[in-house]
């Protein structure tokens, strides 16, 4: 079942027009071909939650009013600064504004919409896919509530706040990014971007939408498949259901293959002759769930990810019982026009298609949570995902009260160190971590959780690792990619630039026994492409000195992979090359930042990877 997109008449019934001027991207800005095609009419029109689809929904993306004020201001602004194109952040070119937001300022939004048509007894939900970082909301001058956390979806039931005809929504957003003491999850954002740190993102940066649901409805479907064909479905619900059972129907290629019914707390479906999901064969089963008058569409892939011992005695990663060398890229997911927000759904999918065609079977989504459609593309295209938790602190005298030296990060030396965090900051970190896992749990492409990266904000490591290993036993846990290793989870992960290396000597005495050894980052060979640089006058860099020409860059790439192949034979179970694309001043991507140049074609990359035994043809 496909969701029905509401009419433009409803979406734009109260659209904005600012002094007669048409929206346009901020001038003198780098854009991808998809960014160049963005308009207020075509911006992110796709259904935002394909893992749990409903028919009746309304897209609220488009032009909104905005204003920047003092952060302490409580009154809705009387004067607005202009229009902003949602869902692009204030700092981005595609927002039409491209303006920074200081930690002591507030970003305000306002837009009006018509009350959606609905059946008797239906509820209306207001959904935000992501707003960075803290926001307060009002509808028709009545306070809806607030939300903390910049990377994940949240909702409000606005039924009682609606009125016939025009409704006015107002948001106030505060974003302290990397401010000392804020403990915000902000990933690669930095108020003073340079080097590996990028332009900050504030405000709405993913789709905003309305949804019509019955009085009794599903809020979450947790789908746990097994390779024997059993699929367990657990539903969370809202409303009075009078003990109603739910039904689950499973189909493949449009043909029903299994069905079952039972209480929302647990339904098991048995699929005959199960066809398994893998990167080579990304088979997905469609699932229809009905609970009373609520009907939602979902899907699942039958796959199992485990740790096994290979014939050589080394621990390896396995998919459906078969050893798979995880070969992929570090994937930042940043774009020149939208920063954290891809310019379009097609643009987002294009990166995954490129990696798959280039012979990679996985990617590490680096300290960012993508729009939910991204993971559906990974499921459908067939690529494994290591998913990072979005990080907080990143060094001495910043977020942590106790610094962790870079030597311990990269060398995986004994005696790891934990930062000391206040209780409320830790609770918020864990709340966001749990919502991320819950939000993404059903995606078969995700096979590994990465709570910490290189010690950035790393704290209570054993506690965090034990929690996630128990909370989701269906995936592996890579507790600390890049070192500062504690004996918890399944993985010990080293980073080394530019050429890969793993410090096996630090595992002497059994410290790494029982853990899969991987190289979570290496490479980063820089190659600047003239005419495709974020800032030609800035430092455009890669790891090691920049090569004198393209031939030397290609030679360095191949040399690093030859070294990885040797490490693979010594027990390394995965390797991740930095990185998919250039990002701002980092020119170490396989693609330029605007995605207009493939520094090496996918076909050439696939050939190299095959020759070196990193993939099987």
């Amino acid at each position: 079942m496909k969701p029905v997109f509401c009419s433009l008449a409803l979406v734009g019934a109260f659209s904005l027009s600012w002094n007669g001027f048409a929206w346009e991207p901020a001038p003198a800005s780098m854009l991808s071909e998809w960014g160049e095609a963005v308009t207020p009419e075509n911006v992110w029109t796709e259904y935002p939650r394909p893992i749990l689809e409903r028919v009746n929904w309304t897209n609220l993306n488009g032009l909104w009013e905005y204003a920047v004020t003092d952060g302490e201001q409580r009154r809705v602004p009387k004067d607005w600064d202009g229009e902003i194109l949602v869902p692009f952040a204030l700092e981005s070119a595609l927002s039409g504004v491209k303006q920074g937001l200081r930690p002591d300022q507030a970003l305000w939004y306002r837009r009006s919409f018509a009350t959606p048509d609905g059946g008797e007894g239906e509820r209306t939900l207001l959904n935000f896919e992501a707003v960075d970082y803290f926001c307060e909301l009002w509808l028709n001058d009545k306070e809806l509530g607030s939300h903390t956390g910049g990377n994940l979806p949240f909702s409000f039931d606005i039924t009682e706040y609606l009125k016939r005809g025009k409704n006015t929504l107002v948001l106030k957003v505060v974003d302290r990014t990397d401010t000392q003491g804020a403990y915000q999850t902000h990933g690669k954002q930095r108020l003073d971007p340079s080097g590996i740190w990028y332009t900050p993102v504030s405000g709405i940066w993913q789709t905003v939408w309305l949804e019509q649901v019955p009085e009794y409805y599903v809020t979450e479907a947790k789908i746990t498949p097994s390779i024997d064909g059993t699929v367990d479905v657990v539903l969370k619900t809202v409303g009075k259901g009078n003990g109603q059972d739910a039904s689950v129907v499973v189909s493949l290629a449009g043909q029903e293959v299994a069905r079952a019914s039972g209480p929302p707390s647990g339904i098991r479906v048995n699929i005959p002759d199960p066809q398994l999901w893998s990167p080579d064969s990304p088979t997905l089963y469609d699932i229809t769930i009905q609970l009373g008058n609520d009907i939602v569409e979902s899907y699942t892939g039958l796959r199992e990810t485990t740790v096994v011992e290979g014939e050589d005695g080394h621990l390896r990663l396995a998919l459906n019982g078969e050893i798979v060398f995880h070969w992929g890229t570090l994937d930042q997911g940043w774009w020149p026009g939208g920063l954290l927000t891809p310019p379009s759904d097609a643009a987002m999918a294009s990166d995954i298609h490129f990696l798959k065609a280039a012979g990679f079977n996985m990617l590490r989504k680096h300290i960012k949570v993508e729009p939910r459609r991204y993971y559906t593309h990974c499921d459908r295209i067939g690529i494994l995902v290591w998913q990072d938790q979005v990080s907080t602190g990143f060094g001495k005298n910043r977020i942590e009260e106790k610094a962790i030296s870079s030597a311990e990060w990269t060398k995986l030396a004994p005696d790891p160190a934990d930062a000391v965090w206040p209780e409320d900051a830790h609770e918020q970190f864990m709340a966001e971590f749990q919502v991320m896992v819950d939000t993404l749990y059903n995606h078969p492409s995700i096979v590994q959780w990465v709570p910490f990266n290189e010690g950035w904000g790393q704290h209570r490591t054993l506690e965090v690792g034990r929690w996630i290993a128990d909370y989701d036993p269906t995936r592996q846990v890579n507790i600390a990619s890049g070192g500062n290793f504690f004996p918890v989870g399944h993985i010990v992960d080293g980073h080394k630039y530019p050429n890969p290396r793993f410090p096996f000597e630090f595992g002497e005495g059994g410290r790494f026994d029982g853990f899969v050894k991987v190289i979570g980052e290496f490479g980063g060979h820089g190659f600047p492409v003239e005419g495709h640089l974020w800032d030609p006058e800035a430092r455009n860099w890669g790891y090691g000195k920049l090569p004198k020409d393209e031939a030397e860059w290609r030679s360095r790439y191949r040399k690093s992979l030859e070294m990885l192949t040797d490490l693979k034979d010594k027990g390394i179970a995965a390797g991740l090359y930095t990185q998919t694309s250039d990002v701002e001043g980092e020119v170490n991507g396989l693609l330029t930042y605007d995605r207009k140049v493939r520094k090496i074609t996918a076909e050439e990359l696939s050939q190299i990877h095959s020759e070196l035994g990193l993939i099987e043809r």
Side-chain angles (χ1 to χ4, degrees):
M1 182 182 296
K2 297 296 182 183
V4 176
F5 181 67
C6 58
S7 70
L8 291 176
L10 176 58
V11 176
F14 299 99
S15 61
L16 304 171
S17 177
W18 194 259
N19 295 330
F21 292 104
W23 168 90
E24 62 180 5
S29 299
M30 173 188 276
L31 298 174
S32 66
E33 62 180 275
W34 299 278
E36 293 166 351
V38 167
T39 69
E41 292 73 33
N42 70 14
V43 60
W44 277 100
T45 59
E46 295 83 7
Y47 189 85
R49 193 187 58 206
I51 201 68
L52 195 68
E53 291 189 357
R54 285 193 179 89
V55 170
N56 295 322
W57 72 291
T58 304
N59 195 325
L60 294 184
N61 292 337
L63 293 173
W64 296 40
E65 291 174 288
Y66 84 96
V68 176
T69 70
D70 179 87
E72 299 301 319
Q73 179 170 316
R74 294 291 302 169
R75 298 185 306 275
V76 176
K78 293 183 179 179
D79 300 314
W80 296 84
D81 297 341
E83 290 178 317
I84 185 170
L85 185 59
V86 169
F88 296 107
L90 181 74
E91 296 87 348
S92 70
L94 288 174
S95 73
V97 182
K98 201 176 182 180
Q99 173 184 337
L101 186 74
R102 299 196 310 267
D104 62 350
Q105 291 179 317
L107 169 61
W108 294 78
Y109 292 87
R110 183 173 70 180
R111 87 150 284 164
S112 296
F113 60 89
T115 301
D117 294 330
E120 184 177 353
E122 283 195 332
R123 314 291 298 178
T124 299
L125 306 181
L126 171 62
N127 301 311
F128 291 86
E129 290 299 295
V131 179
D132 196 351
Y133 178 75
F134 172 77
C135 66
E136 299 173 274
L137 302 93
W138 296 264
L139 182 61
N140 297 326
D141 299 323
K142 296 180 180 179
E143 186 171 357
L144 278 177
S146 64
H147 180 263
T148 300
N151 311 288
L152 297 160
F154 58 97
S155 300
F156 294 93
D157 185 333
I158 62 172
T159 309
E160 310 304 328
Y161 298 81
L162 291 170
K163 60 185 182 182
R164 296 183 65 85
K166 179 180 178 179
N167 295 268
T168 301
L169 175 66
V170 173
L171 276 74
K172 178 188 176 183
V173 178
V174 176
D175 183 13
R176 300 182 64 194
T177 308
D178 60 345
T179 304
Q180 186 169 354
Y183 294 89
Q184 283 188 195
T185 49
H186 60 269
K188 284 296 193 84
Q189 302 177 58
R190 190 163 176 175
L191 294 171
D192 180 22
S194 63
I196 65 170
W197 310 108
Y198 313 144
T199 303
V201 168
S202 300
I204 299 169
W205 68 276
Q206 289 189 37
T207 291
V208 186
W209 54 298
L210 302 175
E211 183 177 22
Q212 301 297 114
V213 298
E215 287 280 358
Y216 183 43
Y217 64 95
V218 175
T219 60
E220 181 183 327
K222 183 177 182 180
I223 301 172
T224 305
S226 299
I227 59 175
D228 65 1
T230 60
V231 178
D232 292 319
V233 180
V234 176
L235 306 177
K236 290 185 178 180
T237 65
V238 168
K240 296 180 179 179
N242 299 319
Q244 293 184 54
D245 281 353
S247 67
V248 176
V249 178
V250 180
S251 303
L252 182 63
Q255 299 296 314
E256 181 180 323
V257 296
R259 67 166 57 216
S261 61
S265 59
I267 303 167
R268 171 164 288 186
V269 187
N270 294 291
I271 299 174
D273 188 25
Q275 298 185 35
L276 305 187
W277 183 96
S278 71
D280 292 333
S281 181
T283 301
L284 297 175
Y285 287 86
D286 295 316
I287 295 178
T288 300
I289 300 169
Q290 183 164 2
L291 178 69
N293 294 325
D294 193 20
I295 300 174
V296 293
E297 301 288 343
S298 189
Y299 64 86
T300 193
L302 308 181
R303 66 99 181 94
E304 181 180 67
T305 173
T306 55
V307 173
V308 302
E309 183 176 316
E311 293 181 359
D312 56 6
H314 296 297
L315 293 180
R316 303 287 185 177
L317 298 168
L319 186 69
N320 304 329
E322 300 291 330
I323 291 175
V324 176
F325 183 76
H326 287 212
W327 169 227
T329 61
L330 191 72
D331 196 285
Q332 311 277 5
W334 283 68
W335 295 80
L339 304 177
L340 280 180
T341 311
S344 71
D345 185 66
M348 189 168 64
S350 71
D351 278 2
I352 307 168
H353 280 295
F354 170 76
L355 294 176
K356 187 69 180 293
F360 296 104
N361 61 16
M362 61 83 64
L363 60 88
R364 177 181 166 207
K365 183 48 59 179
H366 192 36
I367 51 179
K368 177 194 178 184
V369 181
E370 291 282 3
R372 287 190 265 197
R373 292 188 62 85
Y374 180 90
Y375 301 96
T376 292
H377 286 305
C378 292
D379 296 339
R380 292 172 177 166
I381 295 168
I383 197 159
L384 304 173
V385 177
W386 296 8
Q387 178 62 50
D388 289 11
Q389 161 71 332
V390 181
S391 64
T392 54
F394 47 82
K396 188 176 180 180
N397 297 326
R398 283 282 179 174
I399 303 302
E400 297 92 345
E401 295 179 15
K402 182 176 181 180
I404 301 170
S405 76
S406 61
E408 288 172 316
W409 295 345
T410 57
K411 292 184 178 180
L412 295 173
D415 303 319
D418 255 344
V420 178
W421 274 35
E423 185 63 30
D424 60 343
H426 171 70
E427 289 179 358
Q428 180 62 31
F429 177 88
M430 292 304 298
E432 294 182 36
F433 191 15
Q434 181 174 337
V435 172
M436 181 184 76
V437 174
D438 290 344
T439 300
L440 303 180
Y441 179 87
N442 291 346
H443 293 282
S445 56
I446 299 176
V447 294
Q448 192 171 127
W449 301 117
V450 186
F452 298 112
N453 175 75
E454 294 187 351
W456 303 348
Q458 187 173 337
H459 69 287
R460 304 194 193 184
T461 307
L462 291 174
E463 178 184 334
V464 173
R466 288 167 183 159
W467 175 84
I468 182 57
D470 180 65
Y471 192 70
D472 182 8
T474 70
R475 294 176 170 93
Q476 280 72 62
V477 174
N478 182 347
I479 188 61
S481 184
N484 203 41
F485 169 73
F486 284 73
V488 66
H490 308 89
I491 313 292
V492 56
D493 181 328
H495 296 177
K496 186 67 170 70
Y497 288 103
N499 292 318
R501 176 182 175 272
F502 189 88
F504 296 102
E505 64 272 18
F506 284 108
E508 292 179 358
R511 185 163 173 262
F512 297 159
D513 289 354
F515 294 90
V516 181
K517 301 177 183 67
V518 306
I519 297 177
E521 296 181 26
F522 77 97
H525 297 292
F527 181 61
V529 179
E530 187 176 349
H532 300 273
L533 300 175
W534 173 253
D535 181 355
E537 304 303 319
R539 173 179 174 250
N540 291 285
W541 66 280
Y543 289 92
K545 294 181 180 179
L546 292 179
K548 64 179 182 293
D549 54 28
E550 182 178 344
E552 182 181 344
W553 177 72
R554 287 169 174 258
S555 175
R556 290 184 185 182
Y557 179 79
R558 188 179 184 101
K559 177 184 177 183
S560 285
L561 268 57
E562 290 171 347
M563 295 176 72
L564 178 65
T565 300
D566 181 60
L567 289 164
K568 176 173 175 279
D569 294 338
K570 295 178 180 178
I572 293 299
L576 288 94
Y577 181 83
T578 299
Q579 58 189 339
T580 303
S581 74
D582 296 348
V583 184
E584 299 195 1
E586 292 186 39
V587 293
N588 49 23
L590 300 173
L591 306 169
T592 56
Y593 195 19
D594 58 12
R595 279 38 170 211
K596 292 182 177 179
V597 176
R598 298 182 174 188
K599 299 180 188 180
I600 309 182
T601 67
E603 294 74 18
E604 290 176 287
L605 286 167
S606 181
Q607 182 64 36
I608 294 170
H609 302 161
S610 179
E611 289 174 1
L612 296 178
L614 295 173
I615 61 171
E616 295 182 4
R617 286 186 177 274

